Each structure stands twice: as C-alpha cells, then as structure tokens.
Amino acid sequence: MLPHDLCSKVYQAFRARHNRIAVNHSVQNLAILSILLRHGFILNVTRGTLREPDPVKFIEAVPHEQRIWADLKYRDDRAVLNMMELVSKPSKRIFMDVDELRRLCSGRRVQKVTPLEMGEIAVVKTKSKEFEWLEAREALQLNLPGEVICRAR
Amino acid sequence: MTGKGKIASFYALTVVGNGNGLVGYGEGKAEAIPEASQKAFTQAVRSMDVVERFEERTLWTTIQTKFGATRIIMRPRPVGFGLQCNPNLHQVFKAAGIKDVSAKVWGSRNPMNVIKAAMRMLHAGNAPLKMGDGIGGKGKRIEAGAGTRGKEAVERERGRRIVDGRTW
C-alpha cells in the first residue's frame, strides 16, 4: 500500500465522519498511524482482522486478512485532522538533509515544498535502523536526514 | 422604480475594528449617502468578531480562500514587515490590529468581495460544518470555512502541546 493510499484513506474517512478506519497491516502504515497518534490526530491504533479490531484474532488471522484499525478523533463538532497529503511522490521523490529539514520546520520553503505551518506535522522516513519513521521535528532533533513522505494538519 | 420614475439609492460598505483583535463589516443602502453610511456603520459594529493573532501582530498560518471569483492568500510575516497587500485588505488588517502580513488577491478584485472573503477567512468559524441550526436557516456562504484558529484551540483539540519552530 503506497503512502498515498493511506493519506487518502485517512483524510477522506475524516471528511465522511467515519468512526474508525482499517488499513493494511504493514510497517509503514503502523509507523505513520503511530506518528498521528503521538500528535493527537487519532484516538488509538489497534491490530485486528478485516472484520473487527481484535489483537487476539489478529494473531490467528491469515496475513492478507490482517488489518490496523484506528479510531478517528472529532472535537467540538469538527474533525481533528483536516488534510493529509503526500510530499514525496513516485514521480518526484523529496529527500532532505538536516539543514533542509530545519528550513522546513522553521517556516521557509525548501525544494518547492511549502513549510510546516502551526499545527502541521510531516512524516520522515530515515535510513536509521532504530529510528526509521519520525516526525520532521524529531528527525531534526536526532540529526537524521530522510525522505519527507507526507504531511498532516 | 415608482410611479414618478426611478429613485436612486446609495450603497455603503464599512469596515470597523478596534485595532486590537476585533473587526467587522456592514453594508447599508439608503436614498442619501450619510444615511447609508450610518446604517453600514451600525451593522458593522454589531458584526464585530475576534481575530486570532500570533503575538498580537500577525496571522498564525498561511490561509487561502476562494469566494466567488475572488481568490485570496494571506501569509504571516516577521516583525516590522508591515502590510504588503491589496488596499482593501490593508484597511481590514489595520482595523483588526494585524501589523505584519503579506497577501495576494487573484481573479476578481471587487472591493466588496475582497472584504467579504477576508472576513470569512479571519473570523473563527461559528458554524464549522456549514449547516443551518434549523432555526436561523441554512448555512450561509459568508460564514463558510473554519476561519483562523489560534494555537490554544489546536492544542486543546489534539490534547498535545504544539511545537512551533517558526523563527519569525
């Protein structure tokens, strides 16, 4: 599942005011949803099957029936996540080193990518084994360059 | 048009603000300019609402909107930058107490629509789902959109502190 699929699934579910979503079980999806959870965009992340979020049934399920479920968050009658879009596309990949990430996080444009506004986060995939999927500001703090996958606000 | 012929009327649009976070606009029509102006002023004062500002001088984020044929983008800018924008937007920002901003208007620059679009962007959405309350009627185009929200509102919504790395 490409990051684009995850982005569109998440923000369209918010627009349609769904209760929860189920996405394919992969390291990428788990990582990106965990970052969204850490930053307060969704309520929880659970493993499950294509029928319901149940960690026990997940273990017994066949790989192609395994899913990750996420409960969507709404506050004051509005969705907490308004938009989630790709930055690095298959047609044009966006890799940034630490200086460029610093520009992105501090409000200046880099490589034709609009800077991160107040309340916006970006997911960065690094080559580190321990810290592979990070938020842009976390990658900056840990001094790790990487590919800017997507942004959410 | 009456039995005696055409009767002209004058229209006035007034932008009112306290220069410190409150701004509103009003429209008035009457057969003489002073009356039209007075009606517009009264309506403007009644329509004033709070504008969320960063450091009481600029916007929190870049905002864009399309209102009819008028497309506007507004960007926050550093201290001392000033108001680099359309003259009608300049009046709105001055009244609102926004001191540093850069803005661009594409498409129609009709002053009426530019001001209405700007107000729609600045005022925080009171009817965020753009739905009528069943009593007041349908949701109005003038009130569409989410408006500008401050950092506190976003933090409260997510239940997390927001790290704003903006250097200006």
Side-chain angles (χ1 to χ4, degrees):
Chain A
M1 201 169 152
L2 290 172
H4 175 264
D5 290 331
L6 180 68
C7 290
S8 54
K9 197 140 195 177
V10 170
Y11 88 80
Q12 283 172 11
F14 268 103
R15 293 261 174 95
R17 298 189 73 91
H18 287 170
N19 191 17
R20 55 193 186 181
I21 54 167
V23 298
N24 292 356
H25 181 261
S26 65
V27 174
Q28 170 198 279
N29 288 352
L30 197 58
I32 297 179
L33 286 177
S34 305
I35 292 173
L36 288 183
L37 175 67
R38 271 213 296 283
H39 289 86
F41 286 101
I42 52 180
L43 285 172
N44 53 48
V45 175
T46 322
R47 284 190 166 119
T49 63
L50 46 80
R51 257 164 224 93
E52 81 257 272
D54 190 341
V56 177
K57 296 217 173 82
F58 168 87
I59 300 168
E60 296 150 3
V62 188
H64 64 84
E65 284 189 6
Q66 290 175 339
R67 296 287 184 271
I68 307 172
W69 289 81
D71 273 359
L72 303 183
K73 196 169 175 182
Y74 303 90
R75 291 284 177 271
D76 283 340
D77 216 18
R78 39 184 310 164
V80 175
L81 186 137
N82 298 303
M83 188 61 194
M84 186 167 169
E85 56 205 349
L86 261 197
V87 171
S88 176
K89 297 175 189 164
S91 58
K92 181 170 181 178
R93 299 282 178 191
I94 305 275
F95 300 96
M96 290 195 189
D97 56 30
V98 182
D99 291 326
E100 291 176 319
L101 279 175
R102 195 171 292 121
R103 278 179 68 102
L104 187 74
C105 297
S106 62
R108 286 162 292 171
R109 204 164 74 134
V110 182
Q111 286 189 44
K112 305 263 171 95
V113 178
T114 54
L116 296 181
E117 302 284 354
M118 187 266 304
E120 206 169 0
I121 63 158
V123 174
V124 173
K125 183 181 176 188
T126 65
K127 289 218 164 95
S128 154
K129 293 290 177 208
E130 200 186 342
F131 303 109
E132 194 176 356
W133 293 89
L134 295 170
E135 202 267 305
R137 294 169 188 100
E138 292 165 4
L140 192 57
Q141 219 171 19
L142 295 169
N143 254 327
L144 293 167
E147 186 181 0
V148 183
I149 303 281
C150 61
R151 67 202 293 160
R153 61 174 179 274
Chain B
M1 200 81 200
T2 63
K4 300 241 173 94
K6 294 176 211 165
I7 297 185
S9 73
F10 292 95
Y11 162 88
L13 185 145
T14 310
V15 170
V16 148
N18 73 347
N20 198 16
L22 284 177
V23 73
Y25 83 97
E27 300 167 290
K29 274 173 77 170
E31 289 180 20
I33 296 178
E35 274 108 54
S37 198
Q38 182 57 47
K39 279 186 187 175
F41 179 79
T42 322
Q43 205 182 44
V45 174
R46 296 175 75 172
S47 79
M48 285 213 285
D49 201 359
V50 172
V51 168
E52 300 286 341
R53 301 174 292 166
F54 170 70
E55 288 178 355
E56 302 207 342
R57 57 169 189 87
T58 188
L59 304 170
W60 279 102
T61 64
T62 304
I63 16 176
Q64 281 200 62
T65 199
K66 187 170 175 298
F67 181 78
T70 304
R71 196 184 130 211
I72 304 183
I73 187 172
M74 297 176 186
R75 296 182 196 88
R77 283 288 177 257
V79 193
F81 187 85
L83 296 173
Q84 194 178 71
C85 57
N86 179 294
N88 299 299
L89 290 180
H90 195 287
Q91 296 301 321
V92 172
F93 291 134
K94 206 164 80 167
I98 292 173
K99 294 150 196 145
D100 307 301
V101 101
S102 117
K104 172 80 183 163
V105 181
W106 287 282
S108 165
R109 293 200 183 123
N110 185 320
M112 262 172 59
N113 287 339
V114 166
I115 290 172
K116 288 180 185 180
M119 291 303 183
R120 198 171 84 161
M121 291 161 92
L122 293 175
H123 288 158
N126 296 311
L129 290 183
K130 205 181 145 185
M131 293 202 297
D133 58 4
I135 300 173
K138 287 182 175 184
K140 300 185 181 71
R141 192 173 74 122
I142 285 274
E143 287 161 19
T148 44
R149 278 141 35 91
K151 189 168 166 188
E152 273 181 31
V154 180
E155 281 181 340
R156 214 178 304 128
E157 200 177 59
R158 297 198 197 151
R160 310 274 189 280
R161 286 275 170 228
I162 287 182
V163 174
D164 197 11
R166 205 159 64 174
T167 44
W168 41 265

